[in-house]
Amino acid sequence: MTLTDENVPRERPTEIRAVPVRHYGRWVAAALILYIAIWAVYSVANNERFGWDTINAWFWDGAILDGIVTTLELTVIAMLMGVVGGVLLAVMRLSPNPLISGVAWLYVWVFRGTPVLVQIILWFYVKALIPTFSLGIPFGPTFVHFNANDLITAFVAGCLGLGLNEAAYMSEIVRAGILSVDPGQSEAATALGMSRAKIMRRVVLPQAMRVIIPPTGNETISMLKTSSLVSVIALSDLLYSVQIVYNRTYQTIPMLLVASIWYLVMTSILTVGQFYLERYFGRGTAQRQTMLERFVANLRVRSGRRP
């Protein structure tokens, strides 16, 4: 009687236990960074020259809070102008009509080529160039007249300077998002009889949002900080409110720290909102994880469980 492979008893294979690779360099680097961070916090907290008592006294002051409200209003209005104008300019840039695309290119060239601070100041002093604004028939009778001093206030000048400049940058972001969509999508929609405007609204833009959202979030955070430039036209935003206080009390460093802390708080909130907005529009692709989610996943891997 001969033994065949079928009659030979087979041993049960042992379970393979995967051992993660040890990265000792990471632990050393983490310990060094933690030590430097603790030393920096301790040094700053115990340095009386930072004026922590002054910071605590002025942090919730009414004038500072009013400046924060003005900063947020400027950011929201300027970004709305920038997004709407950017979409319009991007569509114009992609138009087959050379006149329309040329006008859009000229707008982007002018507003991207000049500093936003110069644009804010020019809008504030536009009343010296055009004392009155009129509405009516071109080269004909006018029906309504506006005084530029009443119409172009410091707040309006700030919104125009920030919003129109942002539209030039947003147009390039939107245009890049539109160009990232496969042209076959538009061709298929055209074959179904959809108009160009409907294709853009229902087919192209929804798919382009995945590319448009991340840089738009960055532009919003940048706009929140760039709005501080309106302080040069004496608009009471957060920075100008702080400047009024330290010009009177001579507590320059503590008051600038008050502004910096508030800017950090607001940008942190916007960063969290940007993260979840990107994750919402990025459904179906590799999902971004928060620090807590990454920490939990690493713990599960080290404990031998599936992430």
Side-chain angles (χ1 to χ4, degrees), residues 152-291:
I152 308 297
T153 61
F155 185 82
V156 173
C159 291
L160 290 173
L162 295 171
L164 296 179
N165 179 267
E166 183 62 29
Y169 288 91
M170 282 301 304
S171 68
E172 296 301 293
I173 294 173
V174 175
R175 188 167 69 94
I178 292 174
L179 293 176
S180 68
V181 179
D182 188 354
Q185 301 280 339
S186 300
E187 295 173 0
T190 303
L192 293 175
M194 297 177 65
S195 63
R196 190 171 184 272
K198 185 176 290 186
I199 293 172
M200 185 64 63
R201 188 175 65 253
R202 294 189 177 182
V203 178
V204 177
L205 284 179
Q207 298 182 67
M209 292 301 290
R210 186 177 298 173
V211 177
I212 295 173
I213 287 296
T216 302
N218 293 334
E219 288 293 315
T220 304
I221 295 173
S222 177
M223 177 61 69
L224 180 67
K225 296 176 292 183
T226 306
S227 63
S228 61
L229 294 176
V230 300
S231 60
V232 300
I233 58 175
L235 180 59
S236 298
D237 69 322
L238 175 56
L239 179 59
Y240 189 73
S241 301
V242 165
Q243 288 175 334
I244 292 176
V245 175
Y246 72 63
N247 286 333
R248 187 173 69 250
T249 63
Y250 301 103
Q251 298 290 335
T252 305
I253 298 299
M255 295 310 302
L256 288 176
L257 288 175
V258 169
S260 300
I261 294 171
W262 272 117
Y263 278 118
L264 281 172
V265 170
M266 291 186 288
T267 54
S268 299
I269 295 173
L270 289 177
T271 301
V272 173
Q274 177 188 0
F275 173 84
Y276 285 103
L277 193 61
E278 288 181 18
R279 193 157 75 168
Y280 174 79
F281 281 99
R283 290 172 299 177
T285 60
Q287 292 292 319
R288 294 179 59 191
Q289 293 181 320
T290 62
M291 293 181 62

Side-chain angles (χ1 to χ4, degrees), residues 13-305:
T14 58
E15 182 178 356
I16 298 176
R17 182 174 179 80
V19 179
V21 179
R22 306 297 181 184
H23 299 280
Y24 298 104
R26 295 181 183 178
W27 291 103
V28 173
L32 181 61
I33 292 173
L34 181 61
Y35 171 78
I36 295 174
I38 294 174
W39 172 80
V41 172
Y42 177 81
S43 300
V44 171
N46 290 276
N47 191 338
E48 297 180 355
R49 296 181 180 179
F50 280 92
W52 296 111
D53 294 337
T54 304
I55 293 174
N56 184 55
W58 286 96
F59 193 76
W60 297 102
D61 186 76
I64 304 299
L65 297 179
D66 291 340
I68 292 172
V69 172
T70 302
T71 296
L72 293 175
E73 290 175 347
L74 281 170
T75 302
V76 172
I77 294 175
M79 284 307 301
L80 286 176
M81 293 175 61
V83 170
V84 174
V87 173
L88 180 61
L89 288 170
V91 174
M92 292 174 63
R93 284 287 302 273
L94 298 173
S95 173
N97 189 318
L99 178 61
I100 295 177
S101 61
V103 169
W105 179 88
L106 182 63
Y107 179 97
V108 173
W109 175 68
V110 170
F111 281 88
R112 289 179 63 189
T114 53
V116 62
L117 179 59
V118 174
Q119 296 175 32
I120 292 173
I121 298 174
L122 282 175
W123 279 111
F124 184 67
Y125 288 106
V126 72
K127 61 193 74 173
L129 296 175
I130 309 175
T132 59
F133 294 91
S134 302
L135 294 178
I137 301 174
F139 306 105
T142 57
F143 307 111
V144 183
H145 299 273
F146 299 98
N147 190 335
N149 290 320
D150 299 330
L151 187 63
I152 308 297
T153 61
F155 185 82
V156 173
C159 291
L160 290 173
L162 295 171
L164 296 179
N165 179 267
E166 183 62 29
Y169 288 91
M170 282 301 304
S171 68
E172 296 301 293
I173 294 173
V174 175
R175 188 167 69 94
I178 292 174
L179 293 176
S180 68
V181 179
D182 188 354
Q185 301 280 339
S186 300
E187 295 173 0
T190 303
L192 293 175
M194 297 177 65
S195 63
R196 190 171 184 272
K198 185 176 290 186
I199 293 172
M200 185 64 63
R201 188 175 65 253
R202 294 189 177 182
V203 178
V204 177
L205 284 179
Q207 298 182 67
M209 292 301 290
R210 186 177 298 173
V211 177
I212 295 173
I213 287 296
T216 302
N218 293 334
E219 288 293 315
T220 304
I221 295 173
S222 177
M223 177 61 69
L224 180 67
K225 296 176 292 183
T226 306
S227 63
S228 61
L229 294 176
V230 300
S231 60
V232 300
I233 58 175
L235 180 59
S236 298
D237 69 322
L238 175 56
L239 179 59
Y240 189 73
S241 301
V242 165
Q243 288 175 334
I244 292 176
V245 175
Y246 72 63
N247 286 333
R248 187 173 69 250
T249 63
Y250 301 103
Q251 298 290 335
T252 305
I253 298 299
M255 295 310 302
L256 288 176
L257 288 175
V258 169
S260 300
I261 294 171
W262 272 117
Y263 278 118
L264 281 172
V265 170
M266 291 186 288
T267 54
S268 299
I269 295 173
L270 289 177
T271 301
V272 173
Q274 177 188 0
F275 173 84
Y276 285 103
L277 193 61
E278 288 181 18
R279 193 157 75 168
Y280 174 79
F281 281 99
R283 290 172 299 177
T285 60
Q287 292 292 319
R288 294 179 59 191
Q289 293 181 320
T290 62
M291 293 181 62
L292 179 60
E293 291 171 342
R294 289 199 300 268
F295 179 74
V296 172
N298 289 333
L299 287 180
R300 289 179 177 179
V301 170
R302 292 185 179 277
S303 63
R305 292 181 293 175

